[in-house]
């Protein structure tokens, strides 16, 4: 533990005086308060992303927790501490993958009793019935897709990541990401009709 | 340009916010883990072996035919039809318009409409009535909250039988048994509770009206004539109107205001609704009376007369209420409003001890409605001990 703790607690609570890079660097040195500040700064985004990707709040909580444990454990390996956020996202996506694999196994055994309480149409609070109906159809399409395809499509269109960011966070090549997203789009086109999504890199 | 469904799916529009308790719980687990404290049975280096052991045990159970999970899944999972599939849609041309679920609940569609599943989980079953007439029978006591969405109205069910009818201008909900909660922006309080034999029409909300009718002057409204046109006011109400028809003492409810409509009967009607919502019965009576007296040929005059009767009953002005309900009959109401007005008249006469007059109204009711909705109530009122037939 370094001696910078009290100062760090103050500035971390106050806002953005210390950026992720500095906090991660101090975390690498074992400063617990720096890690807490990183946790506070990112936990809501990580949880929200995990919940949307998994469609279940209970699993999202586990995935968030495990992602932070893994991130803090492996923090020393992170060379570019300024990329802490995107690095953490990659870990979250990995945790989401793990949960999909576990879910598939439990489903085969007839033991998957999780409640899909974070499906898109369920979390669409404040939207009209028609929009929720659309999201319900999106959920139905997503449920039929393999996990890697589903995750790639959701990162791209729900989370709004660029193709490069999707590739980085899923540890895949750009070509693989494009192929997965194209596959998902074919399924969506079958339900919603052909469409042209905005093409941003 | 993204299609609308894809825009709806943006994370900016789909926030998921963990509660502070969850954040604290996760924080505790994360930093406990870092401190080397155990987290749970399926964490740590031995986790795969523990999980494998559990999976092996469960596999053995299944192998020996102890399939306890199946029935439990059926109870706790999504609601499924008697055919064993998850409900998706009603209203396809080549499919039946009725579906029965394993818990005994049913959905029956008519009027060429369609119904789409929104949510089907262990806790909630929600469908969207896109159009048409839907008869719903929900088995009471189930684990799921039933919700019927119909654009301008959201119907929450507490184990009951009821019907929902949606067209381009309004949603009508009629309760046969039990209780339902209807929510909608077109309702004065945003919500209303309906019980047996009650009905409500929830109109298109103001924002949904693409081209509001002109209401620039009293003259233009006054030019609406014909008693025949009055019939349409309950069947197809004006966009911002709302009427609760009650057989058991319920009252007409409120409507959404249009600020620039105050000099017209529509405006008075809305003012009356607001006054009633505030409990200002005197002002409500004044507005409604004004409509009935000064614009008897206005499409809303019949509804205003009926509402006036209800308000007067509320104020214990029974004779005045009787006059109002009689006025309803004179103005040529729709069948449902005539039926309700006659019931009110029977109630009033019976309550006053005017047995002959009550029987006369009851006979009138039976002449109009040989198998009416209020037949039992009227029989009870006119012949409370079963010794005097109407």
């Amino acid at each position: 533990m370094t001696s910078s703790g009290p100062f760090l607690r103050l500035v971390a609570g106050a806002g953005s005086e210390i950026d992720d890079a500095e906090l991660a660097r101090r975390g690498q040195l074992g400063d617990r308060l720096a890690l807490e500040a990183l946790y506070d700064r990112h936990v809501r985004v990580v949880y929200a992303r995990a919940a949307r990707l998994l469609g279940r709040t209970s699993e999202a909580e586990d995935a968030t927790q495990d992602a932070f444990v893994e991130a803090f454990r492996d923090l020393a390996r992170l060379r570019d501490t300024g990329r802490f956020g995107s690095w953490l996202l990659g870990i979250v996506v990995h945790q989401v993958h793990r949960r999909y694999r576990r879910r598939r196994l439990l489903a085969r055994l007839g033991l998957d009793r999780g409640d899909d309480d974070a499906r898109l149409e369920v979390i669409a609070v404040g939207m009209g019935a028609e929009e929720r109906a659309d999201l319900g159809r999106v959920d139905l399409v997503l449920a039929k897709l393999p996990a890697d395809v589903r995750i790639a499509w959701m990162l791209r269109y729900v989370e709004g990541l660029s193709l490069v960011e999707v590739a980085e966070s899923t540890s895949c090549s750009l070509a693989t990401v494009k192929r997965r997203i194209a596959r998902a789009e074919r399924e969506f086109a079958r339900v919603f009709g052909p469409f042209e999504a905005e093409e941003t890199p | 340009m993204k299609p609308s469904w894809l825009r709806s799916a943006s994370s900016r529009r789909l926030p998921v916010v963990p509660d502070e308790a969850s954040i604290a719980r996760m924080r505790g687990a994360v930093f406990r883990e870092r401190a080397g404290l155990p987290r749970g049975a399926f964490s740590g280096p031995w986790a795969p072996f523990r999980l494998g052991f559990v999976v092996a045990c469960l596999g053995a159970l299944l192998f020996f035919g102890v399939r306890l999970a199946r029935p439990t899944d059926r109870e706790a999972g999504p609601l499924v039809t008697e055919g064993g599939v998850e409900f998706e849609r009603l209203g396809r041309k080549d499919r039946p318009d009725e579906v029965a679920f394993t818990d005994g609940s049913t959905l029956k569609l008519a009027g060429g409409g369609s119904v789409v599943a929104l949510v089907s989980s262990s806790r909630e079953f929600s469908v969207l009535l896109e159009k048409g007439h839907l008869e719903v029978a929900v088995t009471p006591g189930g684990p799921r909250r039933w919700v019927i969405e119909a654009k301008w109205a959201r119907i929450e069910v507490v184990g009951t039988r009821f019907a929902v009818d949606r067209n381009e201008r309004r949603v009508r909900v009629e309760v046969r048994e039990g209780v339902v909660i209807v929510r909608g922006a077109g309702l004065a309080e945003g919500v209303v509770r309906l019980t047996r034999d009650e009905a409500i029409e929830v109109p298109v909300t103001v924002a949904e009206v693409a081209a509001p009718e002109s209401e620039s002057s009293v003259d233009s409204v006054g030019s609406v004539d014909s008693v025949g046109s009055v019939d349409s006011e309950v069947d197809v109400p004006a966009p911002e109107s709302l009427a609760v028809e009650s057989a058991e003492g319920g009252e007409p409810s409120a409507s959404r205001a249009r600020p620039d409509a105050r000099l017209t009967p529509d405006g008075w009607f809305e003012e009356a609704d607001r006054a009633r919502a505030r409990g200002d019965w005197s002002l409500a009576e004044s507005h409604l009376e004004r409509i009935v007296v000064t614009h008897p040929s206005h499409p809303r005059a019949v509804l205003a007369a009926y509402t006036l009767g209800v308000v007067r009953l509320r104020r214990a002005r029974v004779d005045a209420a009787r006059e109002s309900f009689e006025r309803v009959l004179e103005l040529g109401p729709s069948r449902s409003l005539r039926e309700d007005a006659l019931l009110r008249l029977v109630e009033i006469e019976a309550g006053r001890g005017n047995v002959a007059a009550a029987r006369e109204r009851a006979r009138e009711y039976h002449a109009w409605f040989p198998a009416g909705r209020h037949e039992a109530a009227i029989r009870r009122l006119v012949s409370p001990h079963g010794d005097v037939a109407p």
Side-chain angles (χ1 to χ4, degrees):
Chain A
M1 182 82 63
T2 68
S3 60
S4 61
F7 167 73
L8 197 57
R9 184 190 290 277
L10 279 175
V11 294
S16 57
E17 282 85 348
I18 297 184
D19 59 15
D20 277 358
E22 177 63 11
L23 287 174
R25 196 184 62 73
R26 293 187 189 193
Q28 286 174 334
L29 297 173
D31 188 332
R32 179 185 162 119
L33 290 176
L35 298 180
E36 287 191 8
L38 284 171
Y39 174 86
D40 288 336
R41 191 173 285 176
H42 292 279
V43 65
R44 288 168 183 81
V45 174
V46 167
Y47 175 86
R49 193 156 274 172
R52 284 190 292 266
L53 289 173
L54 285 161
R56 294 179 182 178
T57 53
S58 57
E59 289 188 4
E61 198 168 306
D62 284 346
T64 303
Q65 190 177 305
D66 287 349
F68 275 104
V69 168
E70 190 178 332
F72 293 160
R73 188 189 63 213
D74 297 340
L75 192 57
R77 295 184 204 164
L78 179 64
R79 291 184 182 176
D80 181 1
T81 52
R83 295 186 62 254
F84 178 81
S86 55
W87 179 68
L88 180 61
L89 169 64
I91 295 174
V92 174
V93 171
H94 174 64
Q95 291 293 340
V96 168
H97 262 297
R98 282 183 59 185
R99 268 151 193 83
Y100 270 117
R101 280 199 295 274
R102 182 185 296 176
R103 197 187 288 181
R104 193 173 56 197
L105 175 65
L106 292 174
R108 281 181 185 163
L109 295 169
L111 297 170
D112 179 28
R113 295 180 195 169
D115 190 2
D116 295 338
D117 58 349
R119 284 156 60 178
L120 298 184
E121 96 266 30
V122 177
I123 61 175
V125 180
M127 283 194 198
E130 310 286 352
E131 284 181 298
R132 289 185 66 192
D134 277 347
L135 290 176
R137 286 194 277 269
V138 170
D139 278 324
L140 287 175
V141 174
L142 289 174
K144 291 173 187 164
L145 294 174
D148 49 2
V149 175
R150 173 184 180 146
I151 290 169
W153 186 88
M154 289 193 75
L155 287 173
R156 177 78 177 105
Y157 289 113
V158 178
E159 302 301 326
L161 268 55
S162 68
L163 288 170
V164 174
E165 287 170 327
V166 176
E168 280 179 4
S169 57
T170 53
S171 307
C172 294
S173 69
L174 199 57
T176 302
V177 166
K178 285 180 178 174
R179 196 168 57 245
R180 286 175 181 172
I181 290 176
R183 177 174 171 189
E185 284 176 348
R186 279 198 298 276
E187 293 298 322
F188 279 108
R190 205 171 290 169
V191 174
F192 290 99
F195 66 96
E196 285 184 20
E198 284 171 355
E199 268 308 317
T200 52
Chain B
M1 182 70 179
K2 283 183 183 178
S4 63
W5 62 267
L6 196 50
R7 286 198 299 275
S8 301
S10 164
S11 63
R12 284 193 297 273
R13 303 194 62 198
L14 297 167
V16 182
V17 183
D19 55 52
E20 291 305 315
S22 297
I23 292 174
R25 197 165 47 242
M26 289 187 283
R27 173 203 293 275
V30 168
F31 291 98
R32 231 183 1 258
E33 183 95 355
R34 274 188 56 77
L37 298 174
R39 189 155 61 103
F42 295 112
S43 61
W46 292 98
F49 298 100
R50 291 195 190 108
L51 183 63
F53 178 73
V54 170
V55 169
C57 289
L58 292 169
L61 278 175
L62 289 175
F63 183 76
F64 288 110
V66 187
R67 303 190 59 171
L68 299 173
R70 280 289 174 194
T72 311
D73 272 352
R74 176 161 292 188
E75 285 163 20
L79 187 57
V80 294
T81 65
E82 283 185 339
V85 297
E86 206 169 326
F87 173 71
E88 285 186 11
R89 172 179 277 274
L90 271 185
R92 289 185 178 134
K93 284 181 181 172
D94 53 340
R95 302 279 175 85
D97 282 341
E98 188 172 359
V99 63
F101 296 95
T102 49
D103 69 348
S105 304
T106 60
L107 294 176
K108 189 175 181 182
L109 185 68
S114 61
V115 175
V116 183
L118 292 177
V119 182
S120 180
S121 70
S122 58
R123 289 188 229 154
E124 182 177 349
F125 181 76
S126 172
V127 297
L128 169 67
L129 173 61
E130 292 179 327
K131 191 183 171 188
H133 180 89
L134 181 66
E135 293 278 345
V136 185
V138 181
T139 302
R144 294 171 194 82
R145 191 165 65 105
W146 275 62
V147 176
I148 314 295
E149 300 272 9
K151 190 160 185 175
W152 306 295
R154 173 187 172 92
I155 300 105
E156 295 173 8
V157 188
V158 193
T160 191
R161 282 195 310 118
F162 64 99
V164 188
D165 194 88
R166 173 180 167 183
N167 64 25
E168 295 76 15
R169 307 201 65 186
R170 56 106 178 99
V171 174
R172 180 180 173 83
V173 184
E174 284 181 37
V175 179
R176 318 250 194 261
E177 281 177 19
V179 178
V180 303
I181 308 294
V182 181
R183 297 180 192 278
L187 299 170
E189 302 297 330
V191 62
V192 67
R193 180 177 185 271
L194 297 182
T195 55
R196 184 176 180 172
D197 289 339
E198 287 185 333
I200 190 170
E201 288 190 353
V202 183
V204 179
T205 55
V206 174
E208 295 285 347
V209 180
E213 64 196 64
S214 168
E215 46 197 4
S216 55
S217 71
V218 174
D219 289 343
S220 65
V221 174
S223 67
V224 176
D225 56 7
S226 88
V227 171
S229 68
V230 168
D231 269 343
S232 67
E233 53 86 12
V234 168
D235 296 335
V236 185
E240 66 288 357
S241 77
L242 169 70
V244 178
E245 298 151 16
S246 166
E248 302 294 333
E251 296 172 8
S253 188
S255 69
R256 194 152 177 160
R258 286 192 292 183
D260 57 349
R262 294 187 179 184
L263 295 178
T264 67
D266 287 336
W268 296 331
F269 200 93
E270 288 161 12
E271 288 297 325
D273 280 340
R274 282 194 210 97
R276 284 193 304 117
R278 291 195 304 270
D280 190 345
W281 303 103
S282 172
L283 183 61
E285 186 177 350
S286 166
H287 284 309
L288 293 167
E289 199 169 10
R290 198 169 172 191
I291 298 170
V292 177
V293 172
T294 61
H295 291 76
S297 61
H298 189 273
R300 281 191 162 180
V302 188
L303 192 56
Y306 182 87
T307 311
L308 181 60
V310 173
V311 169
R312 284 171 165 171
L313 276 183
R314 179 81 183 221
R315 301 187 72 200
R317 300 185 59 208
V318 181
D319 286 333
R322 179 170 51 198
E323 284 175 17
S324 298
F325 292 123
E326 285 170 348
R327 186 75 174 129
V328 170
L329 302 182
E330 289 167 15
L331 289 172
S334 64
R335 279 182 66 80
S336 62
L337 212 50
R338 177 182 294 277
E339 195 175 3
D340 290 346
L342 283 169
L343 172 66
R344 295 284 190 179
L345 286 168
V346 175
E347 280 176 342
I348 289 170
E349 300 297 2
R352 289 241 145 168
N354 299 333
V355 178
R359 284 180 186 166
E360 182 58 36
R361 288 298 183 191
R363 270 194 290 275
E364 190 179 346
Y365 178 88
H366 284 115
W368 274 92
F369 309 102
R373 285 180 290 136
H374 308 322
E375 191 179 356
I378 285 186
R379 196 173 291 280
R380 203 166 51 242
L381 285 165
V382 176
S383 174
H385 306 297
D387 53 349
V388 185

